[in-house]
mmCIF file with all atom_site columns, all heavy atoms in Angstrom:
data_model
loop_
_atom_site.group_PDB
_atom_site.id
_atom_site.type_symbol
_atom_site.label_atom_id
_atom_site.label_alt_id
_atom_site.label_comp_id
_atom_site.label_asym_id
_atom_site.label_entity_id
_atom_site.label_seq_id
_atom_site.pdbx_PDB_ins_code
_atom_site.Cartn_x
_atom_site.Cartn_y
_atom_site.Cartn_z
_atom_site.occupancy
_atom_site.B_iso_or_equiv
_atom_site.pdbx_formal_charge
_atom_site.auth_seq_id
_atom_site.auth_comp_id
_atom_site.auth_asym_id
_atom_site.auth_atom_id
_atom_site.pdbx_PDB_model_num
ATOM 1   N N   . GLY A 1 1  ? 149.514 127.919 65.980 1.00 97.00 ? 448 GLY A N   1
ATOM 2   C CA  . GLY A 1 1  ? 150.372 126.980 66.713 1.00 97.00 ? 448 GLY A CA  1
ATOM 3   C C   . GLY A 1 1  ? 149.846 125.545 66.534 1.00 97.00 ? 448 GLY A C   1
ATOM 4   O O   . GLY A 1 1  ? 150.615 124.586 66.431 1.00 97.00 ? 448 GLY A O   1
ATOM 5   N N   . THR A 1 2  ? 148.523 125.332 66.653 1.00 97.00 ? 449 THR A N   1
ATOM 6   C CA  . THR A 1 2  ? 147.929 124.032 66.553 1.00 97.00 ? 449 THR A CA  1
ATOM 7   C C   . THR A 1 2  ? 148.221 123.431 65.165 1.00 97.00 ? 449 THR A C   1
ATOM 8   O O   . THR A 1 2  ? 148.551 122.250 65.003 1.00 97.00 ? 449 THR A O   1
ATOM 9   C CB  . THR A 1 2  ? 146.475 123.960 66.828 1.00 97.00 ? 449 THR A CB  1
ATOM 10  O OG1 . THR A 1 2  ? 145.828 125.042 66.032 1.00 97.00 ? 449 THR A OG1 1
ATOM 11  C CG2 . THR A 1 2  ? 146.159 124.226 68.276 1.00 97.00 ? 449 THR A CG2 1
ATOM 12  N N   . ASN A 1 3  ? 148.085 124.278 64.114 1.00 97.00 ? 450 ASN A N   1
ATOM 13  C CA  . ASN A 1 3  ? 148.372 123.773 62.771 1.00 97.00 ? 450 ASN A CA  1
ATOM 14  C C   . ASN A 1 3  ? 149.835 123.492 62.545 1.00 97.00 ? 450 ASN A C   1
ATOM 15  O O   . ASN A 1 3  ? 150.198 122.428 62.012 1.00 97.00 ? 450 ASN A O   1
ATOM 16  C CB  . ASN A 1 3  ? 147.871 124.820 61.761 1.00 97.00 ? 450 ASN A CB  1
ATOM 17  C CG  . ASN A 1 3  ? 146.427 124.695 61.500 1.00 97.00 ? 450 ASN A CG  1
ATOM 18  O OD1 . ASN A 1 3  ? 145.958 123.846 60.787 1.00 97.00 ? 450 ASN A OD1 1
ATOM 19  N ND2 . ASN A 1 3  ? 145.647 125.600 62.078 1.00 97.00 ? 450 ASN A ND2 1
ATOM 20  N N   . ALA A 1 4  ? 150.686 124.338 62.994 1.00 98.00 ? 451 ALA A N   1
ATOM 21  C CA  . ALA A 1 4  ? 152.176 124.130 62.857 1.00 98.00 ? 451 ALA A CA  1
ATOM 22  C C   . ALA A 1 4  ? 152.555 122.797 63.638 1.00 98.00 ? 451 ALA A C   1
ATOM 23  O O   . ALA A 1 4  ? 153.330 121.997 63.101 1.00 98.00 ? 451 ALA A O   1
ATOM 24  C CB  . ALA A 1 4  ? 152.936 125.298 63.385 1.00 98.00 ? 451 ALA A CB  1
ATOM 25  N N   . ALA A 1 5  ? 152.019 122.621 64.807 1.00 98.00 ? 452 ALA A N   1
ATOM 26  C CA  . ALA A 1 5  ? 152.364 121.474 65.651 1.00 98.00 ? 452 ALA A CA  1
ATOM 27  C C   . ALA A 1 5  ? 151.907 120.223 65.004 1.00 98.00 ? 452 ALA A C   1
ATOM 28  O O   . ALA A 1 5  ? 152.693 119.256 65.008 1.00 98.00 ? 452 ALA A O   1
ATOM 29  C CB  . ALA A 1 5  ? 151.726 121.637 67.022 1.00 98.00 ? 452 ALA A CB  1
ATOM 30  N N   . VAL A 1 6  ? 150.692 120.110 64.528 1.00 97.00 ? 453 VAL A N   1
ATOM 31  C CA  . VAL A 1 6  ? 150.202 118.887 63.996 1.00 97.00 ? 453 VAL A CA  1
ATOM 32  C C   . VAL A 1 6  ? 150.954 118.472 62.727 1.00 97.00 ? 453 VAL A C   1
ATOM 33  O O   . VAL A 1 6  ? 151.185 117.269 62.520 1.00 97.00 ? 453 VAL A O   1
ATOM 34  C CB  . VAL A 1 6  ? 148.633 118.952 63.737 1.00 97.00 ? 453 VAL A CB  1
ATOM 35  C CG1 . VAL A 1 6  ? 148.322 119.776 62.547 1.00 97.00 ? 453 VAL A CG1 1
ATOM 36  C CG2 . VAL A 1 6  ? 148.084 117.522 63.598 1.00 97.00 ? 453 VAL A CG2 1
ATOM 37  N N   . HIS A 1 7  ? 151.334 119.455 61.973 1.00 97.00 ? 454 HIS A N   1
ATOM 38  C CA  . HIS A 1 7  ? 152.077 119.097 60.720 1.00 97.00 ? 454 HIS A CA  1
ATOM 39  C C   . HIS A 1 7  ? 153.498 118.656 60.993 1.00 97.00 ? 454 HIS A C   1
ATOM 40  O O   . HIS A 1 7  ? 154.108 117.788 60.386 1.00 97.00 ? 454 HIS A O   1
ATOM 41  C CB  . HIS A 1 7  ? 152.047 120.283 59.736 1.00 97.00 ? 454 HIS A CB  1
ATOM 42  C CG  . HIS A 1 7  ? 150.694 120.457 59.144 1.00 97.00 ? 454 HIS A CG  1
ATOM 43  N ND1 . HIS A 1 7  ? 149.993 119.504 58.436 1.00 97.00 ? 454 HIS A ND1 1
ATOM 44  C CD2 . HIS A 1 7  ? 149.814 121.557 59.214 1.00 97.00 ? 454 HIS A CD2 1
ATOM 45  C CE1 . HIS A 1 7  ? 148.865 119.952 58.024 1.00 97.00 ? 454 HIS A CE1 1
ATOM 46  N NE2 . HIS A 1 7  ? 148.716 121.222 58.526 1.00 97.00 ? 454 HIS A NE2 1
ATOM 47  N N   . LEU A 1 8  ? 154.155 119.261 61.997 1.00 98.00 ? 455 LEU A N   1
ATOM 48  C CA  . LEU A 1 8  ? 155.515 118.884 62.325 1.00 98.00 ? 455 LEU A CA  1
ATOM 49  C C   . LEU A 1 8  ? 155.499 117.496 63.026 1.00 98.00 ? 455 LEU A C   1
ATOM 50  O O   . LEU A 1 8  ? 156.334 116.622 62.735 1.00 98.00 ? 455 LEU A O   1
ATOM 51  C CB  . LEU A 1 8  ? 156.129 119.887 63.241 1.00 98.00 ? 455 LEU A CB  1
ATOM 52  C CG  . LEU A 1 8  ? 156.655 121.189 62.597 1.00 98.00 ? 455 LEU A CG  1
ATOM 53  C CD1 . LEU A 1 8  ? 157.089 122.232 63.634 1.00 98.00 ? 455 LEU A CD1 1
ATOM 54  C CD2 . LEU A 1 8  ? 157.736 120.885 61.594 1.00 98.00 ? 455 LEU A CD2 1
ATOM 55  N N   . ALA A 1 9  ? 154.511 117.305 63.908 1.00 97.00 ? 456 ALA A N   1
ATOM 56  C CA  . ALA A 1 9  ? 154.354 115.970 64.530 1.00 97.00 ? 456 ALA A CA  1
ATOM 57  C C   . ALA A 1 9  ? 154.022 114.867 63.476 1.00 97.00 ? 456 ALA A C   1
ATOM 58  O O   . ALA A 1 9  ? 154.634 113.804 63.483 1.00 97.00 ? 456 ALA A O   1
ATOM 59  C CB  . ALA A 1 9  ? 153.288 116.022 65.599 1.00 97.00 ? 456 ALA A CB  1
ATOM 60  N N   . GLY A 1 10 ? 153.166 115.251 62.543 1.00 95.00 ? 457 GLY A N   1
ATOM 61  C CA  . GLY A 1 10 ? 152.826 114.297 61.486 1.00 95.00 ? 457 GLY A CA  1
ATOM 62  C C   . GLY A 1 10 ? 153.992 113.915 60.593 1.00 95.00 ? 457 GLY A C   1
ATOM 63  O O   . GLY A 1 10 ? 154.099 112.814 60.061 1.00 95.00 ? 457 GLY A O   1
ATOM 64  N N   . ALA A 1 11 ? 154.949 114.867 60.440 1.00 95.00 ? 458 ALA A N   1
ATOM 65  C CA  . ALA A 1 11 ? 156.148 114.641 59.607 1.00 95.00 ? 458 ALA A CA  1
ATOM 66  C C   . ALA A 1 11 ? 157.196 113.914 60.369 1.00 95.00 ? 458 ALA A C   1
ATOM 67  O O   . ALA A 1 11 ? 158.250 113.502 59.817 1.00 95.00 ? 458 ALA A O   1
ATOM 68  C CB  . ALA A 1 11 ? 156.684 115.947 59.088 1.00 95.00 ? 458 ALA A CB  1
ATOM 69  N N   . GLY A 1 12 ? 156.942 113.650 61.709 1.00 95.00 ? 459 GLY A N   1
ATOM 70  C CA  . GLY A 1 12 ? 157.902 112.888 62.502 1.00 95.00 ? 459 GLY A CA  1
ATOM 71  C C   . GLY A 1 12 ? 159.027 113.512 63.186 1.00 95.00 ? 459 GLY A C   1
ATOM 72  O O   . GLY A 1 12 ? 160.070 112.984 63.400 1.00 95.00 ? 459 GLY A O   1
ATOM 73  N N   . ILE A 1 13 ? 158.773 114.857 63.515 1.00 97.00 ? 460 ILE A N   1
ATOM 74  C CA  . ILE A 1 13 ? 159.818 115.577 64.215 1.00 97.00 ? 460 ILE A CA  1
ATOM 75  C C   . ILE A 1 13 ? 160.069 114.855 65.537 1.00 97.00 ? 460 ILE A C   1
ATOM 76  O O   . ILE A 1 13 ? 159.264 114.283 66.138 1.00 97.00 ? 460 ILE A O   1
ATOM 77  C CB  . ILE A 1 13 ? 159.374 117.081 64.568 1.00 97.00 ? 460 ILE A CB  1
ATOM 78  C CG1 . ILE A 1 13 ? 160.612 117.859 64.983 1.00 97.00 ? 460 ILE A CG1 1
ATOM 79  C CG2 . ILE A 1 13 ? 158.222 117.093 65.479 1.00 97.00 ? 460 ILE A CG2 1
ATOM 80  C CD1 . ILE A 1 13 ? 160.240 119.392 65.058 1.00 97.00 ? 460 ILE A CD1 1
ATOM 81  N N   . GLY A 1 14 ? 161.360 114.969 66.036 1.00 97.00 ? 461 GLY A N   1
ATOM 82  C CA  . GLY A 1 14 ? 161.746 114.222 67.202 1.00 97.00 ? 461 GLY A CA  1
ATOM 83  C C   . GLY A 1 14 ? 161.247 114.827 68.452 1.00 97.00 ? 461 GLY A C   1
ATOM 84  O O   . GLY A 1 14 ? 160.946 114.007 69.395 1.00 97.00 ? 461 GLY A O   1
ATOM 85  N N   . ARG A 1 15 ? 161.284 116.177 68.573 1.00 98.00 ? 462 ARG A N   1
ATOM 86  C CA  . ARG A 1 15 ? 160.926 116.761 69.855 1.00 98.00 ? 462 ARG A CA  1
ATOM 87  C C   . ARG A 1 15 ? 160.214 118.067 69.688 1.00 98.00 ? 462 ARG A C   1
ATOM 88  O O   . ARG A 1 15 ? 160.607 118.825 68.809 1.00 98.00 ? 462 ARG A O   1
ATOM 89  C CB  . ARG A 1 15 ? 162.230 116.993 70.673 1.00 98.00 ? 462 ARG A CB  1
ATOM 90  C CG  . ARG A 1 15 ? 161.964 117.545 72.115 1.00 98.00 ? 462 ARG A CG  1
ATOM 91  C CD  . ARG A 1 15 ? 163.350 117.786 72.718 1.00 98.00 ? 462 ARG A CD  1
ATOM 92  N NE  . ARG A 1 15 ? 163.241 118.453 74.006 1.00 98.00 ? 462 ARG A NE  1
ATOM 93  C CZ  . ARG A 1 15 ? 164.154 119.170 74.548 1.00 98.00 ? 462 ARG A CZ  1
ATOM 94  N NH1 . ARG A 1 15 ? 165.304 119.436 73.954 1.00 98.00 ? 462 ARG A NH1 1
ATOM 95  N NH2 . ARG A 1 15 ? 163.938 119.733 75.746 1.00 98.00 ? 462 ARG A NH2 1
ATOM 96  N N   . LEU A 1 16 ? 159.153 118.279 70.446 1.00 98.00 ? 463 LEU A N   1
ATOM 97  C CA  . LEU A 1 16 ? 158.398 119.578 70.408 1.00 98.00 ? 463 LEU A CA  1
ATOM 98  C C   . LEU A 1 16 ? 158.212 120.066 71.787 1.00 98.00 ? 463 LEU A C   1
ATOM 99  O O   . LEU A 1 16 ? 157.861 119.312 72.659 1.00 98.00 ? 463 LEU A O   1
ATOM 100 C CB  . LEU A 1 16 ? 157.007 119.334 69.740 1.00 98.00 ? 463 LEU A CB  1
ATOM 101 C CG  . LEU A 1 16 ? 156.886 119.285 68.260 1.00 98.00 ? 463 LEU A CG  1
ATOM 102 C CD1 . LEU A 1 16 ? 155.431 119.073 67.850 1.00 98.00 ? 463 LEU A CD1 1
ATOM 103 C CD2 . LEU A 1 16 ? 157.338 120.606 67.588 1.00 98.00 ? 463 LEU A CD2 1
ATOM 104 N N   . LEU A 1 17 ? 158.389 121.392 71.931 1.00 98.00 ? 464 LEU A N   1
ATOM 105 C CA  . LEU A 1 17 ? 157.992 122.091 73.213 1.00 98.00 ? 464 LEU A CA  1
ATOM 106 C C   . LEU A 1 17 ? 156.943 123.039 72.858 1.00 98.00 ? 464 LEU A C   1
ATOM 107 O O   . LEU A 1 17 ? 157.082 123.951 72.004 1.00 98.00 ? 464 LEU A O   1
ATOM 108 C CB  . LEU A 1 17 ? 159.192 122.766 73.824 1.00 98.00 ? 464 LEU A CB  1
ATOM 109 C CG  . LEU A 1 17 ? 158.936 123.687 74.988 1.00 98.00 ? 464 LEU A CG  1
ATOM 110 C CD1 . LEU A 1 17 ? 158.289 122.892 76.150 1.00 98.00 ? 464 LEU A CD1 1
ATOM 111 C CD2 . LEU A 1 17 ? 160.174 124.417 75.442 1.00 98.00 ? 464 LEU A CD2 1
ATOM 112 N N   . LEU A 1 18 ? 155.778 122.921 73.529 1.00 98.00 ? 465 LEU A N   1
ATOM 113 C CA  . LEU A 1 18 ? 154.683 123.807 73.320 1.00 98.00 ? 465 LEU A CA  1
ATOM 114 C C   . LEU A 1 18 ? 154.536 124.794 74.461 1.00 98.00 ? 465 LEU A C   1
ATOM 115 O O   . LEU A 1 18 ? 154.415 124.400 75.607 1.00 98.00 ? 465 LEU A O   1
ATOM 116 C CB  . LEU A 1 18 ? 153.292 122.926 73.199 1.00 98.00 ? 465 LEU A CB  1
ATOM 117 C CG  . LEU A 1 18 ? 153.334 121.790 72.298 1.00 98.00 ? 465 LEU A CG  1
ATOM 118 C CD1 . LEU A 1 18 ? 152.103 120.921 72.359 1.00 98.00 ? 465 LEU A CD1 1
ATOM 119 C CD2 . LEU A 1 18 ? 153.565 122.211 70.857 1.00 98.00 ? 465 LEU A CD2 1
ATOM 120 N N   . VAL A 1 19 ? 154.569 126.066 74.108 1.00 98.00 ? 466 VAL A N   1
ATOM 121 C CA  . VAL A 1 19 ? 154.523 127.143 75.141 1.00 98.00 ? 466 VAL A CA  1
ATOM 122 C C   . VAL A 1 19 ? 153.323 128.008 74.938 1.00 98.00 ? 466 VAL A C   1
ATOM 123 O O   . VAL A 1 19 ? 153.135 128.543 73.886 1.00 98.00 ? 466 VAL A O   1
ATOM 124 C CB  . VAL A 1 19 ? 155.831 127.988 75.061 1.00 98.00 ? 466 VAL A CB  1
ATOM 125 C CG1 . VAL A 1 19 ? 155.872 129.092 76.078 1.00 98.00 ? 466 VAL A CG1 1
ATOM 126 C CG2 . VAL A 1 19 ? 157.091 127.148 75.210 1.00 98.00 ? 466 VAL A CG2 1
ATOM 127 N N   . ASP A 1 20 ? 152.566 128.144 76.003 1.00 97.00 ? 467 ASP A N   1
ATOM 128 C CA  . ASP A 1 20 ? 151.384 129.051 75.908 1.00 97.00 ? 467 ASP A CA  1
ATOM 129 C C   . ASP A 1 20 ? 150.954 129.349 77.361 1.00 97.00 ? 467 ASP A C   1
ATOM 130 O O   . ASP A 1 20 ? 151.047 128.572 78.294 1.00 97.00 ? 467 ASP A O   1
ATOM 131 C CB  . ASP A 1 20 ? 150.228 128.370 75.098 1.00 97.00 ? 467 ASP A CB  1
ATOM 132 C CG  . ASP A 1 20 ? 149.157 129.331 74.632 1.00 97.00 ? 467 ASP A CG  1
ATOM 133 O OD1 . ASP A 1 20 ? 148.409 129.898 75.563 1.00 97.00 ? 467 ASP A OD1 1
ATOM 134 O OD2 . ASP A 1 20 ? 149.075 129.609 73.452 1.00 97.00 ? 467 ASP A OD2 1
ATOM 135 N N   . TYR A 1 21 ? 150.362 130.586 77.517 1.00 96.00 ? 468 TYR A N   1
ATOM 136 C CA  . TYR A 1 21 ? 149.837 130.972 78.820 1.00 96.00 ? 468 TYR A CA  1
ATOM 137 C C   . TYR A 1 21 ? 148.440 131.446 78.690 1.00 96.00 ? 468 TYR A C   1
ATOM 138 O O   . TYR A 1 21 ? 148.016 132.443 79.116 1.00 96.00 ? 468 TYR A O   1
ATOM 139 C CB  . TYR A 1 21 ? 150.679 132.038 79.451 1.00 96.00 ? 468 TYR A CB  1
ATOM 140 C CG  . TYR A 1 21 ? 150.450 132.324 80.897 1.00 96.00 ? 468 TYR A CG  1
ATOM 141 C CD1 . TYR A 1 21 ? 150.651 131.332 81.831 1.00 96.00 ? 468 TYR A CD1 1
ATOM 142 C CD2 . TYR A 1 21 ? 150.081 133.620 81.301 1.00 96.00 ? 468 TYR A CD2 1
ATOM 143 C CE1 . TYR A 1 21 ? 150.447 131.618 83.206 1.00 96.00 ? 468 TYR A CE1 1
ATOM 144 C CE2 . TYR A 1 21 ? 149.812 133.858 82.673 1.00 96.00 ? 468 TYR A CE2 1
ATOM 145 C CZ  . TYR A 1 21 ? 149.959 132.865 83.595 1.00 96.00 ? 468 TYR A CZ  1
ATOM 146 O OH  . TYR A 1 21 ? 149.740 133.101 84.895 1.00 96.00 ? 468 TYR A OH  1
ATOM 147 N N   . ASP A 1 22 ? 147.592 130.546 78.066 1.00 96.00 ? 469 ASP A N   1
ATOM 148 C CA  . ASP A 1 22 ? 146.249 130.918 77.759 1.00 96.00 ? 469 ASP A CA  1
ATOM 149 C C   . ASP A 1 22 ? 145.402 129.655 77.853 1.00 96.00 ? 469 ASP A C   1
ATOM 150 O O   . ASP A 1 22 ? 145.844 128.536 77.796 1.00 96.00 ? 469 ASP A O   1
ATOM 151 C CB  . ASP A 1 22 ? 146.155 131.538 76.327 1.00 96.00 ? 469 ASP A CB  1
ATOM 152 C CG  . ASP A 1 22 ? 144.831 132.388 76.174 1.00 96.00 ? 469 ASP A CG  1
ATOM 153 O OD1 . ASP A 1 22 ? 144.088 132.505 77.181 1.00 96.00 ? 469 ASP A OD1 1
ATOM 154 O OD2 . ASP A 1 22 ? 144.556 132.797 75.035 1.00 96.00 ? 469 ASP A OD2 1
ATOM 155 N N   . THR A 1 23 ? 144.065 129.898 78.026 1.00 97.00 ? 470 THR A N   1
ATOM 156 C CA  . THR A 1 23 ? 143.080 128.751 78.030 1.00 97.00 ? 470 THR A CA  1
ATOM 157 C C   . THR A 1 23 ? 142.177 128.805 76.927 1.00 97.00 ? 470 THR A C   1
ATOM 158 O O   . THR A 1 23 ? 142.063 129.897 76.168 1.00 97.00 ? 470 THR A O   1
ATOM 159 C CB  . THR A 1 23 ? 142.329 128.871 79.376 1.00 97.00 ? 470 THR A CB  1
ATOM 160 O OG1 . THR A 1 23 ? 141.684 130.164 79.496 1.00 97.00 ? 470 THR A OG1 1
ATOM 161 C CG2 . THR A 1 23 ? 143.216 128.641 80.623 1.00 97.00 ? 470 THR A CG2 1
ATOM 162 N N   . VAL A 1 24 ? 141.471 127.718 76.684 1.00 96.00 ? 471 VAL A N   1
ATOM 163 C CA  . VAL A 1 24 ? 140.570 127.565 75.535 1.00 96.00 ? 471 VAL A CA  1
ATOM 164 C C   . VAL A 1 24 ? 139.311 128.541 75.743 1.00 96.00 ? 471 VAL A C   1
ATOM 165 O O   . VAL A 1 24 ? 138.811 128.604 76.834 1.00 96.00 ? 471 VAL A O   1
ATOM 166 C CB  . VAL A 1 24 ? 140.085 126.116 75.446 1.00 96.00 ? 471 VAL A CB  1
ATOM 167 C CG1 . VAL A 1 24 ? 139.020 126.008 74.301 1.00 96.00 ? 471 VAL A CG1 1
ATOM 168 C CG2 . VAL A 1 24 ? 141.274 125.273 75.157 1.00 96.00 ? 471 VAL A CG2 1
ATOM 169 N N   . GLU A 1 25 ? 139.010 129.267 74.664 1.00 94.00 ? 472 GLU A N   1
ATOM 170 C CA  . GLU A 1 25 ? 137.782 130.125 74.638 1.00 94.00 ? 472 GLU A CA  1
ATOM 171 C C   . GLU A 1 25 ? 136.909 129.680 73.534 1.00 94.00 ? 472 GLU A C   1
ATOM 172 O O   . GLU A 1 25 ? 137.407 129.365 72.429 1.00 94.00 ? 472 GLU A O   1
ATOM 173 C CB  . GLU A 1 25 ? 138.202 131.577 74.389 1.00 94.00 ? 472 GLU A CB  1
ATOM 174 C CG  . GLU A 1 25 ? 139.031 132.115 75.559 1.00 94.00 ? 472 GLU A CG  1
ATOM 175 C CD  . GLU A 1 25 ? 139.341 133.620 75.269 1.00 94.00 ? 472 GLU A CD  1
ATOM 176 O OE1 . GLU A 1 25 ? 138.308 134.423 75.241 1.00 94.00 ? 472 GLU A OE1 1
ATOM 177 O OE2 . GLU A 1 25 ? 140.483 133.980 75.132 1.00 94.00 ? 472 GLU A OE2 1
ATOM 178 N N   . GLU A 1 26 ? 135.627 129.557 73.789 1.00 94.00 ? 473 GLU A N   1
ATOM 179 C CA  . GLU A 1 26 ? 134.675 129.060 72.776 1.00 94.00 ? 473 GLU A CA  1
ATOM 180 C C   . GLU A 1 26 ? 134.719 129.964 71.509 1.00 94.00 ? 473 GLU A C   1
ATOM 181 O O   . GLU A 1 26 ? 134.601 129.388 70.351 1.00 94.00 ? 473 GLU A O   1
ATOM 182 C CB  . GLU A 1 26 ? 133.264 129.042 73.339 1.00 94.00 ? 473 GLU A CB  1
ATOM 183 C CG  . GLU A 1 26 ? 132.272 128.420 72.432 1.00 94.00 ? 473 GLU A CG  1
ATOM 184 C CD  . GLU A 1 26 ? 130.912 128.289 73.056 1.00 94.00 ? 473 GLU A CD  1
ATOM 185 O OE1 . GLU A 1 26 ? 130.752 128.552 74.277 1.00 94.00 ? 473 GLU A OE1 1
ATOM 186 O OE2 . GLU A 1 26 ? 129.962 127.887 72.316 1.00 94.00 ? 473 GLU A OE2 1
ATOM 187 N N   . ARG A 1 27 ? 134.952 131.210 71.660 1.00 90.00 ? 474 ARG A N   1
ATOM 188 C CA  . ARG A 1 27 ? 134.942 132.109 70.447 1.00 90.00 ? 474 ARG A CA  1
ATOM 189 C C   . ARG A 1 27 ? 135.994 131.814 69.453 1.00 90.00 ? 474 ARG A C   1
ATOM 190 O O   . ARG A 1 27 ? 136.003 132.273 68.288 1.00 90.00 ? 474 ARG A O   1
ATOM 191 C CB  . ARG A 1 27 ? 134.990 133.554 70.878 1.00 90.00 ? 474 ARG A CB  1
ATOM 192 C CG  . ARG A 1 27 ? 136.283 133.947 71.615 1.00 90.00 ? 474 ARG A CG  1
ATOM 193 C CD  . ARG A 1 27 ? 136.354 135.405 71.880 1.00 90.00 ? 474 ARG A CD  1
ATOM 194 N NE  . ARG A 1 27 ? 137.617 135.776 72.450 1.00 90.00 ? 474 ARG A NE  1
ATOM 195 C CZ  . ARG A 1 27 ? 138.070 137.057 72.546 1.00 90.00 ? 474 ARG A CZ  1
ATOM 196 N NH1 . ARG A 1 27 ? 137.349 138.022 72.055 1.00 90.00 ? 474 ARG A NH1 1
ATOM 197 N NH2 . ARG A 1 27 ? 139.249 137.321 73.056 1.00 90.00 ? 474 ARG A NH2 1
ATOM 198 N N   . ASN A 1 28 ? 137.094 131.089 69.874 1.00 90.00 ? 475 ASN A N   1
ATOM 199 C CA  . ASN A 1 28 ? 138.179 130.781 69.044 1.00 90.00 ? 475 ASN A CA  1
ATOM 200 C C   . ASN A 1 28 ? 138.168 129.400 68.408 1.00 90.00 ? 475 ASN A C   1
ATOM 201 O O   . ASN A 1 28 ? 139.106 129.046 67.674 1.00 90.00 ? 475 ASN A O   1
ATOM 202 C CB  . ASN A 1 28 ? 139.548 130.956 69.824 1.00 90.00 ? 475 ASN A CB  1
ATOM 203 C CG  . ASN A 1 28 ? 139.711 132.352 70.311 1.00 90.00 ? 475 ASN A CG  1
ATOM 204 O OD1 . ASN A 1 28 ? 139.352 133.322 69.590 1.00 90.00 ? 475 ASN A OD1 1
ATOM 205 N ND2 . ASN A 1 28 ? 140.332 132.536 71.427 1.00 90.00 ? 475 ASN A ND2 1
ATOM 206 N N   . LEU A 1 29 ? 137.197 128.658 68.716 1.00 92.00 ? 476 LEU A N   1
ATOM 207 C CA  . LEU A 1 29 ? 137.186 127.202 68.262 1.00 92.00 ? 476 LEU A CA  1
ATOM 208 C C   . LEU A 1 29 ? 137.076 127.053 66.786 1.00 92.00 ? 476 LEU A C   1
ATOM 209 O O   . LEU A 1 29 ? 137.443 126.060 66.268 1.00 92.00 ? 476 LEU A O   1
ATOM 210 C CB  . LEU A 1 29 ? 136.008 126.482 68.967 1.00 92.00 ? 476 LEU A CB  1
ATOM 211 C CG  . LEU A 1 29 ? 136.125 126.296 70.470 1.00 92.00 ? 476 LEU A CG  1
ATOM 212 C CD1 . LEU A 1 29 ? 134.945 125.559 71.064 1.00 92.00 ? 476 LEU A CD1 1
ATOM 213 C CD2 . LEU A 1 29 ? 137.435 125.573 70.820 1.00 92.00 ? 476 LEU A CD2 1
ATOM 214 N N   . ASN A 1 30 ? 136.601 128.115 66.084 1.00 89.00 ? 477 ASN A N   1
ATOM 215 C CA  . ASN A 1 30 ? 136.514 127.895 64.674 1.00 89.00 ? 477 ASN A CA  1
ATOM 216 C C   . ASN A 1 30 ? 137.880 127.653 63.951 1.00 89.00 ? 477 ASN A C   1
ATOM 217 O O   . ASN A 1 30 ? 137.942 127.002 62.907 1.00 89.00 ? 477 ASN A O   1
ATOM 218 C CB  . ASN A 1 30 ? 135.873 129.223 64.049 1.00 89.00 ? 477 ASN A CB  1
ATOM 219 C CG  . ASN A 1 30 ? 136.821 130.428 64.075 1.00 89.00 ? 477 ASN A CG  1
ATOM 220 O OD1 . ASN A 1 30 ? 137.316 130.728 65.167 1.00 89.00 ? 477 ASN A OD1 1
ATOM 221 N ND2 . ASN A 1 30 ? 137.081 131.033 62.945 1.00 89.00 ? 477 ASN A ND2 1
ATOM 222 N N   . ARG A 1 31 ? 138.916 128.126 64.598 1.00 89.00 ? 478 ARG A N   1
ATOM 223 C CA  . ARG A 1 31 ? 140.311 127.918 63.948 1.00 89.00 ? 478 ARG A CA  1
ATOM 224 C C   . ARG A 1 31 ? 141.292 127.238 64.878 1.00 89.00 ? 478 ARG A C   1
ATOM 225 O O   . ARG A 1 31 ? 142.395 127.013 64.486 1.00 89.00 ? 478 ARG A O   1
ATOM 226 C CB  . ARG A 1 31 ? 140.888 129.300 63.568 1.00 89.00 ? 478 ARG A CB  1
ATOM 227 C CG  . ARG A 1 31 ? 141.186 130.181 64.741 1.00 89.00 ? 478 ARG A CG  1
ATOM 228 C CD  . ARG A 1 31 ? 141.673 131.540 64.318 1.00 89.00 ? 478 ARG A CD  1
ATOM 229 N NE  . ARG A 1 31 ? 141.954 132.433 65.392 1.00 89.00 ? 478 ARG A NE  1
ATOM 230 C CZ  . ARG A 1 31 ? 141.119 133.121 66.177 1.00 89.00 ? 478 ARG A CZ  1
ATOM 231 N NH1 . ARG A 1 31 ? 139.764 132.958 65.787 1.00 89.00 ? 478 ARG A NH1 1
ATOM 232 N NH2 . ARG A 1 31 ? 141.399 133.807 67.187 1.00 89.00 ? 478 ARG A NH2 1
#
């Protein structure tokens, strides 16, 4: 999701809604 979001925002999409029900975990920071 972070990769898809940054590329769509970078391309100038007009509107984004980000949906997630989770918090940041150190073990996932590599990606």
Side-chain angles (χ1 to χ4, degrees):
T449 50
N450 278 282
V453 73
H454 291 300
L455 286 173
I460 192 171
R462 184 184 177 206
L463 278 178
L464 172 60
L465 310 174
V466 180
D467 197 289
Y468 192 60
D469 199 5
T470 56
V471 176
E472 295 182 64
E473 186 175 352
R474 65 174 183 165
N475 296 327
L476 293 178
N477 71 305
R478 64 185 181 281

